[in-house]
Amino acid sequence: MSKIILLVEDEPTLQKTLSLALTQEGYEVKSALDGEAGLRLAKEAKPNIILLDLILPKMDGFEVLDEIKKDEATKDIPVIVLTNLESTPDIEKALALGATNYLVKANYDLKDIIDKIKDNIK
Amino acid sequence: MEVKSILAKLNLFQECREYNLSIWQCPSFVFFILGIVNIIVMIGTYFIASNYTDQPELAALVVIGVSIFIFIISQSVTDGFDKLAQANKMKTEFVSIASHQLRTPLAGMRWSLNLLKEGKCSPADSATFIDLLKENTDRMIKLVNDLLNVSRIEMGKNTFIPQQTNIYVLAQKVINGSSLFAQSNSISLKIDAPETLPNVRTDPDKISLVMQNLIENAIKYTRGQGEIITTLQASDGFVQIAIKDSGVGIPKAQQRHIFQKFFRSDNAMKNQTVGTGLGLFIAKAIVEQSGGKIWFVSEEGRGTTFFFTLPVYK
């Protein structure tokens, strides 16, 4: 059975490219286009890893991360924050909330991101 | 409140830490020390003068006068330094926000290219990624132009070539240009104008940019079906342009910030995370450069109407 990746990303280009690359890699991709849907899918789809953007409609990534880590059922799912924000307070906040890794999108090729997923997926 | 603001001003070290200044370079601290030294000298002189000379009052008065003078000077110098530091901090923030904004389309282009280069995509997917590359390139060009415009406006170097302009033709052109974007959002664009309108005096290229920003905002922040009406009318030596939407509106508490650079209201962020917060800042600068005014009426949940005026060409 293929592993499930939950992708929480509202930007259409990034969502399309990343989900296709992950599908080609053999993963099953569940996509959420806003924070609320992301949180709901995190509970329903039981993903093996979550890729989470920070600036999201309806509910931002920090809130989503906080809720995921507070919930007994989802707290062990590794979460990679995938964002274009790069201030030290943002990074510290995400890691303090329990993010497994923090990646700046524009600095990585798709294959680098897939490598990071392989390193962290459960 | 009073006491609090004084205490905040006296928080000498925090400010300097923020600007990465050492204590002895920190103007507020240095001048504070200067003031203290002055007071001590003043009191000292008073005692010396009263014990050792015949006319102590005179000596003390001179010292008091000098001290007050130095204190005032030091205050104004501190203010000056603060403003410089503030401006510098704003520039740093500008660079940081701008680079963040540029990263999103850049990541999109990078990843689209990754997939195309791999050659594993179906022809239909490849076509999609080529379209996305184009879209992201356009977005980056607009962003870079906006940033350049902002920087020129701030330096007072925004080129402005006023010409006799038919505002109806210009509005129609902008609306036609935005019609595809409107259609894809199930929004219809209407224009309402009298048979004859006087020509206005403005820079047509720049004012097109203003109209485009306002209409695109109206489309972006209208959820579901809607209608955006652009009304033109002449009054008192000006032509007034109104762009009315039935969108999410601007929360009352945030209305006064709406023309600030990089400002985006909470509900704008919640509904549309794409956006730079530069459009209205640029629009205001251009309208004011034309000799007109820009303002809006908005109710959260009901919609917003933006108005601006341009002087009639004489």
Side-chain angles (χ1 to χ4, degrees), chain A:
Chain A
M1 208 178 77
S2 55
K3 291 191 170 173
I4 301 171
I5 297 179
L6 170 60
L7 173 61
V8 192
E9 169 66 68
D10 65 312
E11 218 289 316
T13 308
L14 303 184
Q15 190 269 332
K16 278 179 201 152
T17 44
L18 197 48
S19 62
L20 184 77
L22 295 172
T23 313
Q24 283 177 352
E25 203 60 32
Y27 293 110
E28 182 182 342
V29 181
K30 303 268 182 197
S31 265
L33 300 175
D34 64 64
E36 280 175 15
L39 186 59
R40 202 176 56 239
L41 274 175
K43 293 177 185 188
E44 286 171 13
K46 308 235 177 304
N48 298 89
I49 199 164
I50 299 171
L51 304 180
L52 180 66
D53 190 12
L54 288 178
I55 301 176
L56 289 166
K58 292 187 184 162
M59 186 182 203
D60 73 35
F62 291 116
E63 281 178 76
V64 177
L65 179 58
D66 191 30
E67 293 292 328
I68 288 172
K69 292 296 169 188
K70 273 200 289 196
D71 188 332
E72 206 49 46
T74 52
K75 75 174 175 43
D76 292 328
I77 305 171
V79 178
I80 296 183
V81 169
L82 202 51
T83 178
N84 274 325
L85 296 176
E86 203 191 8
S87 74
T88 315
D90 287 329
I91 299 174
E92 281 170 357
K93 189 174 169 189
L95 295 178
L97 285 172
T100 309
N101 207 335
Y102 189 106
L103 306 178
V104 175
K105 292 175 203 168
N107 295 350
Y108 294 92
D109 282 321
L110 287 169
K111 68 169 170 45
D112 303 327
I113 294 171
I114 291 168
D115 286 345
K116 300 277 181 193
I117 292 170
K118 284 181 182 156
D119 289 346
N120 291 297
I121 199 161
K122 284 205 167 177

Side-chain angles (χ1 to χ4, degrees), chain A residues 10-11 86 106 109-110, chain B residues 103 110-111 114 139 270 273:
Chain A
D10 65 312
E11 218 289 316
E86 203 191 8
D109 282 321
L110 287 169
Chain B
R103 271 178 175 162
R110 183 174 195 163
W111 295 355
N114 284 163
R139 192 166 144 197
K270 272 205 161 23
T273 51

Side-chain angles (χ1 to χ4, degrees), chain B residues 19-274:
Chain B
Y19 300 148
N20 286 328
L21 294 174
S22 76
I23 291 173
W24 294 104
Q25 286 176 318
C26 175
S28 41
F29 177 72
V30 172
F31 285 114
F32 183 75
I33 294 297
L34 192 71
I36 298 283
V37 169
N38 255 298
I39 290 166
I40 293 167
V41 168
M42 187 176 85
I43 294 166
T45 314
Y46 178 76
F47 278 110
I48 293 161
S50 56
N51 289 328
Y52 300 107
T53 71
D54 296 336
Q55 283 183 305
E57 298 86 353
L58 197 65
L61 262 175
V62 170
V63 176
I64 290 168
V66 169
S67 303
I68 291 171
F69 176 74
I70 292 175
F71 228 104
I72 292 169
I73 290 284
S74 64
Q75 270 308 309
S76 80
V77 176
T78 308
D79 281 356
F81 276 121
D82 275 356
K83 278 191 188 118
L84 276 178
Q86 201 66 39
N88 191 34
K89 204 175 149 206
M90 271 171 67
K91 285 265 176 259
T92 312
E93 272 170 13
F94 184 89
V95 172
S96 142
I97 297 175
S99 44
H100 165 238
Q101 302 261 17
L102 287 167
R103 271 178 175 162
T104 301
L106 273 173
M109 290 155 80
R110 183 174 195 163
W111 295 355
S112 299
L113 284 170
N114 284 163
L115 285 166
L116 288 168
K117 192 159 182 273
E118 283 276 308
K120 281 194 274 179
C121 306
S122 68
D125 279 343
S126 298
T128 309
F129 292 129
I130 289 169
D131 285 346
L132 289 174
L133 268 174
K134 162 94 175 82
E135 207 176 279
N136 281 285
T137 312
D138 289 348
R139 192 166 144 197
M140 262 196 70
I141 290 170
K142 180 163 174 12
L143 190 54
V144 170
N145 287 343
D146 277 358
L147 289 169
L148 260 170
N149 278 328
V150 167
S151 151
R152 285 197 195 115
I153 288 165
E154 288 193 321
M155 289 192 300
K157 284 186 181 163
N158 193 28
T159 51
F160 191 79
I161 309 158
Q163 285 163 50
Q164 187 171 173
T165 308
N166 183 330
I167 190 72
Y168 179 78
V169 172
L170 186 145
Q172 194 69 60
K173 225 186 242 173
V174 173
I175 287 172
N176 289 343
S178 303
S179 64
L180 263 180
F181 181 43
Q183 265 170 31
S184 64
N185 285 279
S186 327
I187 287 162
S188 63
L189 301 177
K190 295 217 167 106
I191 184 161
D192 183 13
E195 292 265 309
T196 54
L197 262 179
N199 284 340
V200 295
R201 184 178 184 278
T202 189
D203 183 325
D205 291 344
K206 298 277 150 113
I207 220 71
S208 290
L209 193 70
V210 173
M211 295 253 341
Q212 206 181 323
N213 280 337
L214 293 175
I215 288 176
E216 278 179 10
N217 275 352
I219 299 171
K220 259 175 29 185
Y221 299 117
T222 301
R223 286 179 302 176
Q225 286 191 330
E227 193 177 61
I228 291 158
I229 307 169
T230 304
T231 315
L232 310 175
Q233 65 183 75
S235 71
D236 277 346
F238 286 89
V239 172
Q240 178 184 299
I241 298 99
I243 294 159
K244 183 175 189 296
D245 68 46
S246 50
V248 294
I250 305 160
K252 221 174 185 83
Q254 303 190 327
Q255 292 191 354
R256 64 198 172 94
H257 302 298
I258 212 75
F259 289 109
Q260 280 170 19
K261 184 180 55 185
F262 291 125
F263 180 80
R264 300 190 64 216
S265 69
D266 290 342
N267 63 341
M269 288 288 285
K270 272 205 161 23
N271 288 296
Q272 256 295 343
T273 51
V274 179

